[in-house]
Amino acid sequence: MAHQCENCKLRANYDRKPKSLMGRFWRWHINFCPGWKAYFTSLPADQQQALREKYQFTKYQE
């Protein structure tokens, strides 16, 4: 199954304006989104690490 997280409009909004209301909503949302979890855990470790650093994301660490 293809994940839409790579092309998510909310994620793009966060990337453009992380402090905007929609940007902050997306960042909060990924903490419990099952789609993000499936997408994130399907990535290789190096890409997961890059996303952890980019989004200050600490969940799903081994």
Side-chain angles (χ1 to χ4, degrees), residues 8-20:
C8 175
K9 290 181 182 184
L10 291 175
R11 181 179 176 186
N13 192 306
Y14 178 91
D15 289 342
R16 279 191 310 276
K17 295 180 180 180
K19 294 187 180 197
S20 69

Side-chain angles (χ1 to χ4, degrees), residues 7-59:
N7 302 315
C8 175
K9 290 181 182 184
L10 291 175
R11 181 179 176 186
N13 192 306
Y14 178 91
D15 289 342
R16 279 191 310 276
K17 295 180 180 180
K19 294 187 180 197
S20 69
L21 180 61
M22 293 309 291
R24 288 181 290 147
F25 172 79
W26 177 83
R27 178 57 191 83
W28 169 78
H29 170 79
I30 66 172
N31 285 313
F32 56 85
C33 176
W36 175 261
K37 180 180 181 180
Y39 166 71
F40 185 81
T41 57
S42 73
L43 295 173
D46 60 329
Q47 290 180 349
Q48 286 183 11
Q49 186 58 36
L51 290 178
R52 280 192 184 97
E53 292 171 9
K54 182 175 183 177
Y55 299 124
Q56 298 83 45
F57 187 66
T58 58
K59 292 186 93 174

